[in-house]
């Protein structure tokens, strides 16, 4: 929870407490001597518990009118003792509580373009297959042997494997691995889709842990971006691990297959290039999200805007992945496995 988020909730709690105190001191307590059908007098105590119990059993009637219970007991409902000023104070306190509690949620949803009103709540959740279809567009790179098994490296006494989003960094890792292997060992950079890399990292069948390494240049530029305090999927937000940056530009929508999508870029320069073509003269407002937090939000739902998200991989990663696939003879002639920027 960010500072802005926390302050809003604290205000809400304080206002709720004040609201309860106000109700306790100003709630009308019916005080009367009631007569039962047998003619016995029944005296009611002046207590909140007693007044709530009676109000639940009586029928609601206008002020200063007699209400008849089903057991024959009659009572006089007394007029409210609250003045107009007191009623206004209670209303303001109640409104303040609701605003303080709901503001962080409402504000974060409105930061995207207005959601599709035909979808809300659970209907906006995305299945894992739908998410995979978005992530499959992004190439990742592993350093493998001739059978496609990834190599691991020893780090602080523990073996660990890596998938890379930057081909250059994958090649550097491959060179280090090759220097430690026999001369006849096969060490190569193998392209794969990011959804498979994510599943491999999360799999409990692996004997060694694996991480996905983002492009260092993108991490460096992500660290220079100041995100709003109300963003719960941004780098720097409480609970967000800030691992793989994806860049979003406020107000940028792209048309694809007849629909407008919300692009999230793995390369900041590419994001700003798209924006410059459509919005000449005005500087872009760039924010950086964490990939894992974004996928969780897509899976959880709540806003139809997250169903419009489309990931745009870094152009150099796409180019290198397609080059490796063509060299290996496994790439289809058309279309390419990883679409180029012009085809996206």
């Amino acid at each position: 929870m960010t500072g802005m988020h926390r302050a809003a909730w604290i205000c809400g709690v304080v206002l709720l407490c004040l609201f309860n105190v106000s109700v306790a001191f100003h709630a009308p307590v019916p005080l009367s001597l009631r007569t039962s059908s047998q003619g016995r007098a029944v005296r009611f105590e002046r207590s909140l518990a007693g007044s709530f119990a009676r109000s639940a059993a009586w029928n609601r009637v206008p002020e200063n009118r007699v209400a008849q219970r089903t057991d024959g007991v009659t009572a006089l409902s007394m007029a409210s003792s609250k003045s107009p000023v007191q009623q206004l104070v209670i209303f303001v306190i109640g409104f303040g509580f609701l605003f303080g509690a709901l503001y962080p949620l409402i504000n974060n949803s409105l930061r995207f373009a207005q959601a599709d009103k035909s979808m809300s709540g659970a209907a906006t959740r995305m299945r894992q297959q739908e998410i995979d279809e978005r992530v499959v567009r992004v190439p990742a790179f592993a350093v493998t042997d001739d059978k496609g098994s990834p190599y691991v490296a020893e780090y602080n006494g523990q073996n660990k494997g890596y998938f890379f989003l930057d081909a250059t960094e994958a090649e550097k890792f491959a060179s280090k691995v090759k220097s430690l292997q026999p001369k006849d060992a096969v060490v190569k950079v193998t392209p794969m889709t990011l959804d498979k890399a994510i599943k491999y990292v999360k799999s409990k069948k692996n004997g060694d842990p694996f991480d996905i390494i983002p492009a260092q240049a993108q991490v460096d530029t992500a660290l220079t971006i100041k995100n709003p305090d109300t963003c719960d999927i941004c780098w720097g937000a409480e609970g967000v691990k800030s691992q793989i940056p994806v860049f979003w530009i406020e107000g940028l929508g792209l048309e694809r297959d007849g629909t407008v999508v919300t692009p999230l870029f793995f390369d900041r320069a590419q994001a700003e290039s798209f924006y410059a073509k459509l919005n000449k003269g005005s500087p872009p407002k760039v924010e950086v999200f964490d990939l894992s937090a974004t996928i969780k939000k897509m899976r959880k739902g709540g806003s139809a805007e997250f169903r419009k998200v489309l990931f745009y991989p870094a152009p150099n990663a796409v180019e290198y992945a397609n080059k490796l696939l063509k060299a290996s003879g496994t790439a289809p002639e058309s279309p390419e496995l990883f679409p180029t920027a012009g085809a996206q």
Side-chain angles (χ1 to χ4, degrees):
M1 187 178 292
T2 63
M4 191 73 177
H5 211 146
R6 187 182 296 106
W9 276 103
I10 291 175
C11 290
V13 172
V14 171
L15 290 173
L16 176 61
C17 294
L18 293 175
F19 175 74
N20 288 334
V21 170
S22 177
V23 171
F25 279 97
H26 298 98
V29 181
L31 298 176
S32 62
L33 193 65
R34 302 195 303 171
T35 304
S36 68
S37 57
Q38 287 78 20
R40 293 178 296 177
V42 182
R43 183 175 180 277
F44 286 85
E45 296 179 355
R46 186 195 299 263
S47 67
L48 287 176
S51 67
F52 286 143
R54 289 192 300 278
S55 64
W58 299 348
N59 296 319
R60 294 181 59 86
V61 295
E63 296 178 348
N64 297 326
R65 294 289 301 278
V66 175
Q68 182 71 38
R69 285 183 61 185
T70 55
D71 59 357
V73 180
T74 60
L76 186 66
S77 175
M78 299 183 64
S80 172
S81 62
K82 294 191 295 293
S83 68
V85 174
Q86 292 171 331
Q87 294 177 1
L88 178 61
V89 169
I90 293 175
F91 171 79
V92 171
I93 290 174
F95 177 80
F97 164 69
L98 292 175
F99 179 81
L102 297 178
Y103 172 77
L105 302 177
I106 296 174
N107 185 70
N108 190 59
S109 296
L110 292 178
R111 290 174 52 256
F112 273 82
Q114 185 176 3
D116 183 359
K117 296 181 179 180
S118 65
M119 299 183 66
S120 62
T124 64
R125 296 174 183 171
M126 296 182 66
R127 300 187 305 273
Q128 187 60 49
Q129 180 180 354
E130 293 178 296
I131 296 174
D132 290 345
E133 290 173 354
R134 312 294 174 89
V135 182
V136 75
R137 300 163 51 85
V138 181
F141 303 94
V143 177
T144 68
D145 59 17
D146 55 339
K147 297 180 181 179
S149 298
Y151 283 98
V152 298
E154 184 177 348
Y155 182 76
N156 289 338
Q158 182 183 18
N159 288 336
K160 196 167 188 177
Y162 302 96
F163 297 103
F164 299 89
L165 298 183
D166 187 335
T168 302
E169 294 175 13
E171 290 288 358
K172 290 181 180 179
F173 182 66
S175 297
K176 291 181 181 180
V177 171
K178 196 167 186 177
S179 66
L180 300 174
Q181 300 300 316
K183 292 183 178 181
D184 58 347
V186 176
V187 180
K188 61 179 181 178
V189 175
T190 302
M192 61 191 305
T193 57
L194 182 56
D195 63 309
K196 291 183 178 179
I198 292 174
K199 291 177 182 177
Y200 197 97
V201 169
K202 292 183 177 181
S203 176
K204 296 181 179 180
K205 298 180 180 180
N206 301 327
D208 300 307
F210 274 74
D211 274 344
I212 299 175
I213 307 299
Q216 186 59 46
Q218 302 307 317
V219 172
D220 293 341
T221 190
L223 293 173
T224 66
I225 296 175
K226 174 61 177 176
N227 291 306
D229 293 336
T230 53
C231 176
D232 59 357
I233 60 174
C234 287
W235 272 36
E238 188 170 340
V240 176
K241 294 182 178 180
S242 301
Q243 293 177 327
I244 302 175
V246 288
F247 300 92
W248 173 71
I249 295 184
E250 182 177 334
L252 178 60
L254 301 177
E255 185 174 346
R256 182 174 182 269
D257 297 334
T259 60
V260 177
V261 299
T262 300
L264 295 183
F265 299 89
F266 282 78
D267 184 281
R268 180 179 179 176
Q270 184 190 25
E272 294 178 340
S273 175
F274 271 95
Y275 181 84
K277 294 176 182 178
L278 302 175
N279 301 271
K280 296 181 179 180
S282 59
K285 296 180 179 179
V286 183
E287 295 180 19
V288 55
F289 301 160
D290 178 69
L291 176 63
S292 179
T294 303
I295 290 176
K296 288 180 181 178
K297 182 74 77 171
M298 295 167 69
R299 185 181 296 114
K300 182 179 180 181
S303 171
E305 284 305 311
F306 284 96
R307 296 189 66 88
K308 299 178 182 178
V309 165
L310 189 65
F311 294 106
Y312 280 69
N316 59 346
V318 170
E319 181 181 356
Y320 195 80
N322 285 325
K323 178 181 177 181
L324 291 176
L325 289 172
K326 290 178 179 179
S328 65
T330 59
E333 292 295 330
S334 180
E336 296 176 306
L337 177 60
F338 299 104
T340 59
Q344 293 176 3

PDB file of all heavy atoms in Angstrom, residues 184-210:
ATOM      1  N   ASP A 184      33.819 -30.088 -27.247  1.00  0.00           N
ATOM      2  CA  ASP A 184      32.828 -30.645 -28.159  1.00  0.00           C
ATOM      3  C   ASP A 184      31.391 -30.442 -27.659  1.00  0.00           C
ATOM      4  O   ASP A 184      30.431 -30.914 -28.293  1.00  0.00           O
ATOM      5  CB  ASP A 184      33.091 -32.135 -28.384  1.00  0.00           C
ATOM      6  CG  ASP A 184      33.078 -32.917 -27.076  1.00  0.00           C
ATOM      7  OD1 ASP A 184      33.122 -32.276 -25.994  1.00  0.00           O
ATOM      8  OD2 ASP A 184      33.012 -34.167 -27.133  1.00  0.00           O
ATOM      9  N   ALA A 185      31.212 -29.789 -26.532  1.00  0.00           N
ATOM     10  CA  ALA A 185      29.869 -29.567 -25.997  1.00  0.00           C
ATOM     11  C   ALA A 185      29.122 -28.533 -26.840  1.00  0.00           C
ATOM     12  O   ALA A 185      29.708 -27.552 -27.309  1.00  0.00           O
ATOM     13  CB  ALA A 185      29.946 -29.110 -24.552  1.00  0.00           C
ATOM     14  N   VAL A 186      27.838 -28.774 -27.027  1.00  0.00           N
ATOM     15  CA  VAL A 186      26.982 -27.839 -27.774  1.00  0.00           C
ATOM     16  C   VAL A 186      26.406 -26.813 -26.806  1.00  0.00           C
ATOM     17  O   VAL A 186      25.719 -27.161 -25.840  1.00  0.00           O
ATOM     18  CB  VAL A 186      25.842 -28.574 -28.494  1.00  0.00           C
ATOM     19  CG1 VAL A 186      24.912 -27.566 -29.186  1.00  0.00           C
ATOM     20  CG2 VAL A 186      26.398 -29.565 -29.504  1.00  0.00           C
ATOM     21  N   VAL A 187      26.709 -25.566 -27.054  1.00  0.00           N
ATOM     22  CA  VAL A 187      26.171 -24.452 -26.258  1.00  0.00           C
ATOM     23  C   VAL A 187      25.613 -23.428 -27.238  1.00  0.00           C
ATOM     24  O   VAL A 187      26.349 -22.880 -28.063  1.00  0.00           O
ATOM     25  CB  VAL A 187      27.251 -23.800 -25.376  1.00  0.00           C
ATOM     26  CG1 VAL A 187      26.645 -22.649 -24.577  1.00  0.00           C
ATOM     27  CG2 VAL A 187      27.878 -24.831 -24.443  1.00  0.00           C
ATOM     28  N   LYS A 188      24.320 -23.180 -27.168  1.00  0.00           N
ATOM     29  CA  LYS A 188      23.701 -22.263 -28.128  1.00  0.00           C
ATOM     30  C   LYS A 188      22.581 -21.457 -27.471  1.00  0.00           C
ATOM     31  O   LYS A 188      22.019 -21.858 -26.441  1.00  0.00           O
ATOM     32  CB  LYS A 188      23.143 -23.044 -29.319  1.00  0.00           C
ATOM     33  CG  LYS A 188      22.055 -24.047 -28.949  1.00  0.00           C
ATOM     34  CD  LYS A 188      21.533 -24.757 -30.185  1.00  0.00           C
ATOM     35  CE  LYS A 188      20.421 -25.751 -29.828  1.00  0.00           C
ATOM     36  NZ  LYS A 188      19.862 -26.421 -31.021  1.00  0.00           N
ATOM     37  N   VAL A 189      22.277 -20.340 -28.107  1.00  0.00           N
ATOM     38  CA  VAL A 189      21.145 -19.514 -27.667  1.00  0.00           C
ATOM     39  C   VAL A 189      19.907 -20.001 -28.406  1.00  0.00           C
ATOM     40  O   VAL A 189      19.878 -20.044 -29.641  1.00  0.00           O
ATOM     41  CB  VAL A 189      21.394 -18.025 -27.954  1.00  0.00           C
ATOM     42  CG1 VAL A 189      20.152 -17.202 -27.608  1.00  0.00           C
ATOM     43  CG2 VAL A 189      22.597 -17.530 -27.165  1.00  0.00           C
ATOM     44  N   THR A 190      18.889 -20.358 -27.638  1.00  0.00           N
ATOM     45  CA  THR A 190      17.657 -20.905 -28.209  1.00  0.00           C
ATOM     46  C   THR A 190      16.489 -19.962 -27.933  1.00  0.00           C
ATOM     47  O   THR A 190      16.204 -19.652 -26.769  1.00  0.00           O
ATOM     48  CB  THR A 190      17.342 -22.290 -27.605  1.00  0.00           C
ATOM     49  OG1 THR A 190      18.458 -23.162 -27.844  1.00  0.00           O
ATOM     50  CG2 THR A 190      16.073 -22.868 -28.207  1.00  0.00           C
ATOM     51  N   PRO A 191      15.818 -19.478 -28.971  1.00  0.00           N
ATOM     52  CA  PRO A 191      14.652 -18.616 -28.744  1.00  0.00           C
ATOM     53  C   PRO A 191      13.428 -19.424 -28.341  1.00  0.00           C
ATOM     54  O   PRO A 191      13.253 -20.578 -28.748  1.00  0.00           O
ATOM     55  CB  PRO A 191      14.444 -17.948 -30.107  1.00  0.00           C
ATOM     56  CG  PRO A 191      14.967 -18.950 -31.094  1.00  0.00           C
ATOM     57  CD  PRO A 191      16.108 -19.647 -30.411  1.00  0.00           C
ATOM     58  N   MET A 192      12.599 -18.839 -27.539  1.00  0.00           N
ATOM     59  CA  MET A 192      11.359 -19.469 -27.108  1.00  0.00           C
ATOM     60  C   MET A 192      10.358 -18.357 -26.797  1.00  0.00           C
ATOM     61  O   MET A 192      10.703 -17.170 -26.796  1.00  0.00           O
ATOM     62  CB  MET A 192      11.598 -20.334 -25.867  1.00  0.00           C
ATOM     63  CG  MET A 192      12.107 -19.564 -24.660  1.00  0.00           C
ATOM     64  SD  MET A 192      12.677 -20.617 -23.302  1.00  0.00           S
ATOM     65  CE  MET A 192      11.248 -21.639 -23.031  1.00  0.00           C
ATOM     66  N   THR A 193       9.116 -18.724 -26.544  1.00  0.00           N
ATOM     67  CA  THR A 193       8.106 -17.719 -26.212  1.00  0.00           C
ATOM     68  C   THR A 193       8.118 -17.463 -24.707  1.00  0.00           C
ATOM     69  O   THR A 193       8.424 -18.351 -23.906  1.00  0.00           O
ATOM     70  CB  THR A 193       6.714 -18.183 -26.654  1.00  0.00           C
ATOM     71  OG1 THR A 193       6.418 -19.439 -26.035  1.00  0.00           O
ATOM     72  CG2 THR A 193       6.652 -18.334 -28.165  1.00  0.00           C
ATOM     73  N   LEU A 194       7.771 -16.234 -24.339  1.00  0.00           N
ATOM     74  CA  LEU A 194       7.843 -15.837 -22.941  1.00  0.00           C
ATOM     75  C   LEU A 194       6.874 -16.631 -22.071  1.00  0.00           C
ATOM     76  O   LEU A 194       7.169 -16.901 -20.895  1.00  0.00           O
ATOM     77  CB  LEU A 194       7.559 -14.336 -22.813  1.00  0.00           C
ATOM     78  CG  LEU A 194       7.638 -13.749 -21.398  1.00  0.00           C
ATOM     79  CD1 LEU A 194       8.990 -14.023 -20.756  1.00  0.00           C
ATOM     80  CD2 LEU A 194       7.350 -12.248 -21.430  1.00  0.00           C
ATOM     81  N   ASP A 195       5.735 -17.025 -22.607  1.00  0.00           N
ATOM     82  CA  ASP A 195       4.786 -17.796 -21.790  1.00  0.00           C
ATOM     83  C   ASP A 195       5.394 -19.129 -21.361  1.00  0.00           C
ATOM     84  O   ASP A 195       5.187 -19.595 -20.233  1.00  0.00           O
ATOM     85  CB  ASP A 195       3.477 -18.009 -22.541  1.00  0.00           C
ATOM     86  CG  ASP A 195       3.660 -18.830 -23.808  1.00  0.00           C
ATOM     87  OD1 ASP A 195       4.553 -18.477 -24.615  1.00  0.00           O
ATOM     88  OD2 ASP A 195       2.939 -19.828 -23.994  1.00  0.00           O
ATOM     89  N   LYS A 196       6.189 -19.753 -22.238  1.00  0.00           N
ATOM     90  CA  LYS A 196       6.843 -21.008 -21.877  1.00  0.00           C
ATOM     91  C   LYS A 196       7.933 -20.779 -20.828  1.00  0.00           C
ATOM     92  O   LYS A 196       8.120 -21.604 -19.925  1.00  0.00           O
ATOM     93  CB  LYS A 196       7.435 -21.665 -23.122  1.00  0.00           C
ATOM     94  CG  LYS A 196       6.376 -22.182 -24.095  1.00  0.00           C
ATOM     95  CD  LYS A 196       7.018 -22.900 -25.274  1.00  0.00           C
ATOM     96  CE  LYS A 196       5.956 -23.451 -26.217  1.00  0.00           C
ATOM     97  NZ  LYS A 196       6.562 -24.145 -27.386  1.00  0.00           N
ATOM     98  N   ALA A 197       8.640 -19.671 -20.950  1.00  0.00           N
ATOM     99  CA  ALA A 197       9.661 -19.349 -19.953  1.00  0.00           C
ATOM    100  C   ALA A 197       9.032 -19.138 -18.579  1.00  0.00           C
ATOM    101  O   ALA A 197       9.554 -19.605 -17.558  1.00  0.00           O
ATOM    102  CB  ALA A 197      10.429 -18.107 -20.385  1.00  0.00           C
ATOM    103  N   ILE A 198       7.892 -18.437 -18.546  1.00  0.00           N
ATOM    104  CA  ILE A 198       7.206 -18.189 -17.271  1.00  0.00           C
ATOM    105  C   ILE A 198       6.751 -19.505 -16.642  1.00  0.00           C
ATOM    106  O   ILE A 198       6.917 -19.728 -15.434  1.00  0.00           O
ATOM    107  CB  ILE A 198       6.010 -17.241 -17.487  1.00  0.00           C
ATOM    108  CG1 ILE A 198       6.505 -15.842 -17.876  1.00  0.00           C
ATOM    109  CG2 ILE A 198       5.150 -17.166 -16.232  1.00  0.00           C
ATOM    110  CD1 ILE A 198       5.402 -14.874 -18.237  1.00  0.00           C
ATOM    111  N   LYS A 199       6.184 -20.396 -17.461  1.00  0.00           N
ATOM    112  CA  LYS A 199       5.733 -21.686 -16.937  1.00  0.00           C
ATOM    113  C   LYS A 199       6.915 -22.517 -16.433  1.00  0.00           C
ATOM    114  O   LYS A 199       6.797 -23.232 -15.433  1.00  0.00           O
ATOM    115  CB  LYS A 199       4.973 -22.444 -18.027  1.00  0.00           C
ATOM    116  CG  LYS A 199       3.624 -21.820 -18.378  1.00  0.00           C
ATOM    117  CD  LYS A 199       2.949 -22.563 -19.510  1.00  0.00           C
ATOM    118  CE  LYS A 199       1.620 -21.904 -19.883  1.00  0.00           C
ATOM    119  NZ  LYS A 199       0.968 -22.566 -21.037  1.00  0.00           N
ATOM    120  N   TYR A 200       8.041 -22.437 -17.128  1.00  0.00           N
ATOM    121  CA  TYR A 200       9.223 -23.195 -16.710  1.00  0.00           C
ATOM    122  C   TYR A 200       9.718 -22.677 -15.360  1.00  0.00           C
ATOM    123  O   TYR A 200      10.092 -23.458 -14.483  1.00  0.00           O
ATOM    124  CB  TYR A 200      10.325 -23.059 -17.759  1.00  0.00           C
ATOM    125  CG  TYR A 200      11.418 -24.094 -17.642  1.00  0.00           C
ATOM    126  CD1 TYR A 200      11.410 -25.250 -18.415  1.00  0.00           C
ATOM    127  CD2 TYR A 200      12.482 -23.913 -16.752  1.00  0.00           C
ATOM    128  CE1 TYR A 200      12.412 -26.203 -18.304  1.00  0.00           C
ATOM    129  CE2 TYR A 200      13.492 -24.857 -16.637  1.00  0.00           C
ATOM    130  CZ  TYR A 200      13.450 -26.011 -17.415  1.00  0.00           C
ATOM    131  OH  TYR A 200      14.440 -26.950 -17.286  1.00  0.00           O
ATOM    132  N   VAL A 201       9.721 -21.357 -15.180  1.00  0.00           N
ATOM    133  CA  VAL A 201      10.170 -20.767 -13.920  1.00  0.00           C
ATOM    134  C   VAL A 201       9.262 -21.186 -12.766  1.00  0.00           C
ATOM    135  O   VAL A 201       9.731 -21.466 -11.651  1.00  0.00           O
ATOM    136  CB  VAL A 201      10.215 -19.229 -14.035  1.00  0.00           C
ATOM    137  CG1 VAL A 201      10.419 -18.585 -12.669  1.00  0.00           C
ATOM    138  CG2 VAL A 201      11.308 -18.802 -14.992  1.00  0.00           C
ATOM    139  N   LYS A 202       7.950 -21.242 -13.030  1.00  0.00           N
ATOM    140  CA  LYS A 202       6.989 -21.567 -11.971  1.00  0.00           C
ATOM    141  C   LYS A 202       6.873 -23.064 -11.703  1.00  0.00           C
ATOM    142  O   LYS A 202       6.327 -23.461 -10.668  1.00  0.00           O
ATOM    143  CB  LYS A 202       5.608 -21.013 -12.337  1.00  0.00           C
ATOM    144  CG  LYS A 202       5.543 -19.497 -12.339  1.00  0.00           C
ATOM    145  CD  LYS A 202       4.139 -19.023 -12.646  1.00  0.00           C
ATOM    146  CE  LYS A 202       4.048 -17.508 -12.569  1.00  0.00           C
ATOM    147  NZ  LYS A 202       2.666 -17.020 -12.853  1.00  0.00           N
ATOM    148  N   SER A 203       7.365 -23.892 -12.623  1.00  0.00           N
ATOM    149  CA  SER A 203       7.233 -25.340 -12.470  1.00  0.00           C
ATOM    150  C   SER A 203       8.012 -25.836 -11.255  1.00  0.00           C
ATOM    151  O   SER A 203       9.154 -25.446 -11.015  1.00  0.00           O
ATOM    152  CB  SER A 203       7.741 -26.051 -13.731  1.00  0.00           C
ATOM    153  OG  SER A 203       7.712 -27.452 -13.547  1.00  0.00           O
ATOM    154  N   LYS A 204       7.371 -26.700 -10.492  1.00  0.00           N
ATOM    155  CA  LYS A 204       8.005 -27.280  -9.308  1.00  0.00           C
ATOM    156  C   LYS A 204       8.784 -28.558  -9.652  1.00  0.00           C
ATOM    157  O   LYS A 204       9.407 -29.163  -8.789  1.00  0.00           O
ATOM    158  CB  LYS A 204       6.952 -27.593  -8.252  1.00  0.00           C
ATOM    159  CG  LYS A 204       6.236 -26.350  -7.731  1.00  0.00           C
ATOM    160  CD  LYS A 204       5.204 -26.712  -6.667  1.00  0.00           C
ATOM    161  CE  LYS A 204       4.502 -25.460  -6.143  1.00  0.00           C
ATOM    162  NZ  LYS A 204       3.486 -25.771  -5.109  1.00  0.00           N
ATOM    163  N   LYS A 205       8.736 -28.952 -10.930  1.00  0.00           N
ATOM    164  CA  LYS A 205       9.435 -30.160 -11.349  1.00  0.00           C
ATOM    165  C   LYS A 205      10.920 -29.902 -11.596  1.00  0.00           C
ATOM    166  O   LYS A 205      11.698 -30.847 -11.701  1.00  0.00           O
ATOM    167  CB  LYS A 205       8.778 -30.719 -12.620  1.00  0.00           C
ATOM    168  CG  LYS A 205       7.328 -31.137 -12.427  1.00  0.00           C
ATOM    169  CD  LYS A 205       6.736 -31.673 -13.724  1.00  0.00           C
ATOM    170  CE  LYS A 205       5.288 -32.082 -13.533  1.00  0.00           C
ATOM    171  NZ  LYS A 205       4.689 -32.604 -14.799  1.00  0.00           N
ATOM    172  N   ASN A 206      11.279 -28.617 -11.723  1.00  0.00           N
ATOM    173  CA  ASN A 206      12.680 -28.297 -11.993  1.00  0.00           C
ATOM    174  C   ASN A 206      13.543 -28.564 -10.764  1.00  0.00           C
ATOM    175  O   ASN A 206      13.185 -28.199  -9.640  1.00  0.00           O
ATOM    176  CB  ASN A 206      12.822 -26.828 -12.405  1.00  0.00           C
ATOM    177  CG  ASN A 206      12.012 -26.511 -13.647  1.00  0.00           C
ATOM    178  OD1 ASN A 206      11.853 -27.355 -14.523  1.00  0.00           O
ATOM    179  ND2 ASN A 206      11.496 -25.299 -13.722  1.00  0.00           N
ATOM    180  N   GLY A 207      14.685 -29.167 -11.001  1.00  0.00           N
ATOM    181  CA  GLY A 207      15.595 -29.406  -9.888  1.00  0.00           C
ATOM    182  C   GLY A 207      16.288 -28.142  -9.422  1.00  0.00           C
ATOM    183  O   GLY A 207      16.676 -28.019  -8.257  1.00  0.00           O
ATOM    184  N   ASP A 208      16.449 -27.167 -10.319  1.00  0.00           N
ATOM    185  CA  ASP A 208      17.132 -25.919  -9.995  1.00  0.00           C
ATOM    186  C   ASP A 208      16.200 -24.734 -10.259  1.00  0.00           C
ATOM    187  O   ASP A 208      15.367 -24.770 -11.172  1.00  0.00           O
ATOM    188  CB  ASP A 208      18.396 -25.766 -10.849  1.00  0.00           C
ATOM    189  CG  ASP A 208      19.384 -26.904 -10.619  1.00  0.00           C
ATOM    190  OD1 ASP A 208      19.730 -27.156  -9.447  1.00  0.00           O
ATOM    191  OD2 ASP A 208      19.791 -27.541 -11.620  1.00  0.00           O
ATOM    192  N   PRO A 209      16.334 -23.672  -9.486  1.00  0.00           N
ATOM    193  CA  PRO A 209      15.506 -22.476  -9.715  1.00  0.00           C
ATOM    194  C   PRO A 209      15.935 -21.719 -10.968  1.00  0.00           C
ATOM    195  O   PRO A 209      17.116 -21.750 -11.338  1.00  0.00           O
ATOM    196  CB  PRO A 209      15.741 -21.650  -8.457  1.00  0.00           C
ATOM    197  CG  PRO A 209      17.099 -22.052  -7.974  1.00  0.00           C
ATOM    198  CD  PRO A 209      17.224 -23.512  -8.322  1.00  0.00           C
ATOM    199  N   PHE A 210      14.969 -21.050 -11.586  1.00  0.00           N
ATOM    200  CA  PHE A 210      15.228 -20.253 -12.780  1.00  0.00           C
ATOM    201  C   PHE A 210      14.649 -18.852 -12.598  1.00  0.00           C
ATOM    202  O   PHE A 210      13.658 -18.668 -11.884  1.00  0.00           O
ATOM    203  CB  PHE A 210      14.605 -20.903 -14.022  1.00  0.00           C
ATOM    204  CG  PHE A 210      15.480 -21.940 -14.674  1.00  0.00           C
ATOM    205  CD1 PHE A 210      15.650 -23.188 -14.078  1.00  0.00           C
ATOM    206  CD2 PHE A 210      16.137 -21.676 -15.863  1.00  0.00           C
ATOM    207  CE1 PHE A 210      16.451 -24.148 -14.668  1.00  0.00           C
ATOM    208  CE2 PHE A 210      16.940 -22.627 -16.453  1.00  0.00           C
ATOM    209  CZ  PHE A 210      17.104 -23.871 -15.865  1.00  0.00           C
TER     210      PHE A 210
END
